[in-house]
Amino acid sequence: LTCHVFKAGIDITDTLSNSAFTWEKINNDGTVDTEWKATPYGNHVNAIQITSADVFSRAVFNCKVEI
């Protein structure tokens, strides 16, 4: 998954530092997966790789960006 950030229609992703990006995984039951967040996946990058091991039944992945 890759997060792109646009401002006034212009992609500004490359102008942001990696520390601006934080990922979270929401489990099928609606809870935040704190164990997943503690892995390198949740740490400050604009792109993450998800495998079948990351999802049991269903999950939602959110990228929060601090500008």
Side-chain angles (χ1 to χ4, degrees), residues 10-50:
I10 299 169
D11 188 340
I12 63 165
T13 307
D14 291 339
T15 68
L16 302 173
S17 69
N18 282 344
S19 63
F21 301 90
T22 304
W23 291 86
E24 70 178 1
K25 174 187 168 194
I26 309 297
N27 293 319
N28 193 35
D29 63 2
T31 60
V32 174
D33 189 330
T34 54
E35 288 181 26
W36 182 88
K37 190 168 181 67
T39 69
Y41 294 120
N43 293 322
H44 309 300
V45 292
N46 78 309
I48 59 173
Q49 184 174 352
I50 302 300

Side-chain angles (χ1 to χ4, degrees), residues 3-5 12 16-17 19-22 46 63-67:
C3 178
H4 292 277
V5 182
I12 63 165
L16 302 173
S17 69
S19 63
F21 301 90
T22 304
N46 78 309
C63 182
K64 297 181 180 184
V65 181
E66 186 173 325
I67 299 177

